[in-house]
Amino acid sequence: MSDAVLAVSELVANALEHAVGPYELRLHRTALDVICEVVDHDPRIPEIPSFAVGALFAPVEADRGGGLEALCALLSERGRGLHIVHELTGGAWGFRRLLGAKAAWIALPLPASGEDWSGE
C-alpha cells in the first residue's frame, strides 16, 4: 500500500508542478486492478524518459569526473518522479488524452482473496 501512496503522490506532485488545474483524483475498479488517475487541464503529454535496465539512477558515463556540478546533478531530487512511478508500479502506468486535459494513471493490482492491501 505504501508503494501505491508514493506512486500516486508522485503523479500529484507532477501535476501541481507542471500542469494547470483544476486537478482531480479518480479511482476506477476493474476485475483485476484499481486504476488511479490524476487529471489536470494541460492536454500536453510529457516526454516519457527512457528507463535504463539495471540500476535505477546509474551515473551517466559522460558525467564522471565532472566535479561538483555533475555530482549535484546526480544527487538532485528533481527529475526522478516518473522513474519512481515506473519502479513502484512495475511499468503499469501511463498517460491518456482527455478533451482539453490529460490523465496520468497507475494500475494497482487488487489484493488476493483473504489479503488486505498490505499483503497480509
Side-chain angles (χ1 to χ4, degrees), residues 26-47:
R26 299 177 181 173
L27 298 174
H28 307 277
R29 184 169 188 232
T30 69
L32 301 174
D33 301 309
V34 172
I35 308 299
C36 178
E37 294 183 319
V38 177
V39 177
D40 63 61
H41 286 79
D42 182 349
R44 296 174 295 166
I45 302 293
E47 183 177 326

Side-chain angles (χ1 to χ4, degrees), residues 8-62:
V8 171
S9 70
E10 287 294 337
L11 294 182
V12 169
N14 279 350
L16 292 172
E17 174 91 15
H18 302 291
V20 296
Y23 309 99
E24 189 176 344
L25 181 65
R26 299 177 181 173
L27 298 174
H28 307 277
R29 184 169 188 232
T30 69
L32 301 174
D33 301 309
V34 172
I35 308 299
C36 178
E37 294 183 319
V38 177
V39 177
D40 63 61
H41 286 79
D42 182 349
R44 296 174 295 166
I45 302 293
E47 183 177 326
I48 308 298
S50 60
F51 299 110
V53 176
L56 183 56
F57 300 110
V60 177
E61 189 63 37

Side-chain angles (χ1 to χ4, degrees), residues 37-116:
E37 294 183 319
V38 177
V39 177
D40 63 61
H41 286 79
D42 182 349
R44 296 174 295 166
I45 302 293
E47 183 177 326
I48 308 298
S50 60
F51 299 110
V53 176
L56 183 56
F57 300 110
V60 177
E61 189 63 37
D63 290 340
R64 290 186 186 272
L68 183 59
E69 189 172 311
L71 178 61
C72 288
L74 176 65
L75 298 176
S76 170
E77 292 185 19
R78 302 193 54 77
R80 296 183 178 187
L82 293 181
H83 287 275
I84 291 169
V85 169
H86 184 77
E87 287 295 314
L88 293 174
T89 63
W93 68 279
F95 293 94
R96 67 185 187 98
R97 293 184 195 281
L98 304 170
L99 186 59
K102 73 173 168 298
W105 61 268
I106 62 171
L108 307 169
L110 289 172
S113 180
E115 288 184 348
D116 62 20

